[in-house]
Amino acid sequence: MSAWEAAFNFDSLVWDWIIAIYLFLAGMSAGAVMISLYLKRNVIEGDPAHNGIIKAMAILAPFGIIVGLLILVFHLTKPLAFWKIMIYFNPTSVMSMGVVLFQVYMVVLFAWIGIIFRKDIMGFLKGKFTFIDAILLKIEKFENALELFLGILAIMLAAYTGFLLSALQTYPMLNNPVLPILFLFSSLSSGAAACLLFGILGFGESSKSPAVSWIHNFERPVVLFELFVIITFFTGLIFSGGQGEVAAWAAIGGGFWGTWFWVGVIGLGMITPLALNAFAPKEVSHSKGFIFVVTSLSLIGVLMLRTFVLYAGQMTVV
């Protein structure tokens, strides 16, 4: 068996790479929503429906949560029985509570997107289904409360992807209270990168617009704090001793996953984008090619982080 095959197939493995994609998509959705909420309330002037970042969020956020859930459903042993967990809730189950969170999040998210793009939606419907316009106008009266509630839900969703893994108590690396915080900040990082990538390249948002400038200024401290949380995460494991220390060194001490972590997650996904943003001339940093490279590296880095935590975290058991 090759090193690659051995890294992705071992006896203690329960959740595989498809769960990493689900975690990435759900986190990206939550991150895009949190960033767009702040931009709409504090940065964007005029109609937010005309802003490229908001347009990108309106596609990325629903796409992330819906596709992520579909991946999860079809990955189950009995995918056709998934409807049961959507109706029968178990307050002691992390998975069941997550399903409740997803359902409420999606309803509020679509309501908020509907309010922002109400005119565009009704223009597309060409005067038909006027009751939709009436419903959106009524919801719009509670827009401020809706946005605050959606922000709380997005934070909960981003952190939940970490709580889901930390519920696996037999894996000392995953059963870690710092994991939800790490996933919250990696969600913000991926949400920012995705909004920039699709907002500028897909929807023509100016690379010099206030919204883009704010995201650029926001990205750096987020990535730096993410690095700090990663250091805290592994320092805590090492100082805990026992299997926690064993799990930490097994993950980052060398081998396939150690290389994946240092070269992919830290090097390509964090240090390289930070360095490029810090040292690239302004005329280069505003080019579409530069933005594509930097945001792609950030997104790949977050996906590699989720994959690393998932697999390396399952290598060591109590």
Side-chain angles (χ1 to χ4, degrees):
M1 184 181 291
S2 67
W4 179 274
E5 291 174 324
F8 286 91
N9 295 279
F10 45 90
D11 293 338
S12 56
L13 183 69
V14 176
W15 287 352
D16 57 12
W17 62 271
I18 201 74
I19 300 299
I21 296 177
Y22 153 71
L23 295 171
F24 168 77
L25 290 173
M28 182 269 294
S29 173
V33 167
M34 285 186 276
I35 288 167
S36 297
L37 277 168
Y38 184 88
L39 290 176
K40 178 182 177 294
R41 295 172 68 90
N42 299 284
V43 179
I44 297 171
E45 297 180 357
D47 189 351
H50 297 154
N51 184 275
I53 300 297
I54 300 297
K55 290 178 181 178
M57 177 281 302
I59 292 177
L60 291 170
F63 172 83
I65 197 67
I66 291 171
V67 174
L69 275 175
L70 286 175
I71 287 173
L72 186 62
V73 168
F74 287 105
H75 191 61
L76 294 173
T77 306
K78 298 179 180 178
L80 296 180
F82 184 76
W83 61 271
K84 293 181 180 179
I85 199 173
M86 299 181 72
I87 297 175
Y88 302 109
F89 303 127
N90 179 5
T92 63
S93 168
V94 177
M95 180 71 77
S96 181
M97 289 299 97
V99 171
V100 175
L101 174 60
F102 291 148
Q103 289 176 319
V104 177
Y105 172 79
M106 280 194 287
V107 170
V108 179
L109 174 61
F110 279 114
W112 184 56
I113 293 174
I115 291 172
I116 295 173
F117 295 96
R118 181 179 61 82
K119 294 179 181 178
D120 298 277
I121 293 170
M122 296 317 299
F124 176 77
L125 294 176
K126 297 179 180 179
K128 299 177 182 178
F129 307 105
T130 54
F131 70 91
I132 295 177
D133 191 41
I135 293 172
L136 291 175
L137 283 171
K138 289 182 179 179
I139 297 174
E140 193 172 7
K141 295 178 182 178
F142 307 97
E143 185 175 8
N144 183 61
L146 187 76
E147 288 180 351
L148 293 175
F149 185 41
L150 179 59
I152 293 170
L153 290 172
I155 293 171
M156 292 173 64
L157 177 60
Y160 168 77
T161 56
F163 281 117
L164 182 64
L165 295 184
S166 64
L168 299 174
Q169 298 180 0
T170 56
Y171 300 96
M173 181 173 152
L174 298 180
N175 188 24
N176 191 316
V178 180
L179 191 58
I181 301 172
L182 175 59
F183 276 20
L184 171 60
F185 281 90
S186 74
S187 294
L188 286 168
S189 179
S190 61
C195 282
L196 282 178
L197 178 63
F198 289 93
I200 295 173
L201 302 184
F203 293 99
E205 180 71 10
S206 171
S207 59
K208 299 179 182 179
S209 74
V212 171
S213 297
W214 184 88
I215 294 176
H216 277 310
N217 293 330
F218 174 76
E219 264 189 314
R220 296 186 191 100
V222 165
V223 175
L224 288 172
F225 194 81
E226 190 178 353
L227 280 167
F228 170 75
V229 174
I230 288 174
I231 293 170
T232 304
F233 180 83
F234 283 108
T235 302
L237 280 173
I238 291 169
F239 287 150
S240 69
Q243 288 299 92
E245 183 178 3
V246 172
W249 289 121
I252 64 174
F256 180 91
W257 289 113
T259 304
W260 180 288
F261 175 74
W262 292 111
V263 176
V265 177
I266 302 298
L268 290 177
M270 295 184 179
I271 302 300
T272 302
L274 282 173
L276 288 172
N277 280 317
F279 299 112
K282 285 188 176 180
E283 59 271 17
V284 174
S285 62
H286 289 301
S287 68
K288 290 185 177 180
F290 180 86
I291 291 168
F292 174 79
V293 170
V294 172
T295 54
S296 296
L297 285 174
S298 296
L299 288 170
I300 291 170
V302 174
L303 179 57
M304 291 185 75
L305 172 64
R306 305 269 170 145
T307 306
F308 166 77
V309 170
L310 185 69
Y311 276 91
Q314 294 181 84
M315 288 194 302
T316 305
V317 297
V318 176

